Amino acid sequence: LARHTRARFCSLTAGCCSRRGSRLWIADQALYAALPEDWTEYEADDGTSYYKNRATGQLVWQHPLSEEYCDLYAKMKVIDS
């Protein structure tokens, strides 16, 4: 993964540990998540990753699964509270 992608997913680790367990596994899975079908990662001139969906032509600056992992983290944080 490109440097920007690593930084984005590593930010999930902030405060991941709780008294009832750890949510670090979410950040770990997010960091190594494979791209969904039809998505390709590219690198801009400045080294920033971006992603393109070959089927739709959609371009995004965050990993296509980023929001799903953030939602999972939020749900687990509530459960662990």
Side-chain angles (χ1 to χ4, degrees):
L1 295 173
R3 163 182 75 214
H4 175 75
T5 303
R6 282 195 180 101
R8 169 70 183 95
F9 287 134
C10 287
S11 69
L12 285 173
T13 63
C16 279
C17 296
S18 72
R19 282 176 266 160
R20 294 187 183 175
S22 174
R23 293 179 296 276
L24 289 173
W25 63 271
I26 299 170
D28 189 50
Q29 283 188 5
L31 179 60
Y32 297 105
L35 289 170
E37 189 175 337
D38 292 328
W39 286 92
T40 304
E41 181 176 8
Y42 296 95
E43 192 170 304
D45 292 340
D46 67 357
T48 303
S49 292
Y50 67 95
Y51 306 88
K52 182 178 181 178
N53 184 304
R54 292 182 304 276
T56 66
Q58 179 184 12
L59 293 173
V60 295
W61 289 98
Q62 291 187 342
H63 190 285
L65 297 177
S66 178
E67 190 172 327
E68 289 180 33
Y69 282 104
C70 288
D71 290 346
L72 176 59
Y73 175 82
K75 288 176 187 174
M76 293 304 296
K77 188 174 180 180
V78 170
I79 290 170
D80 290 346
S81 297

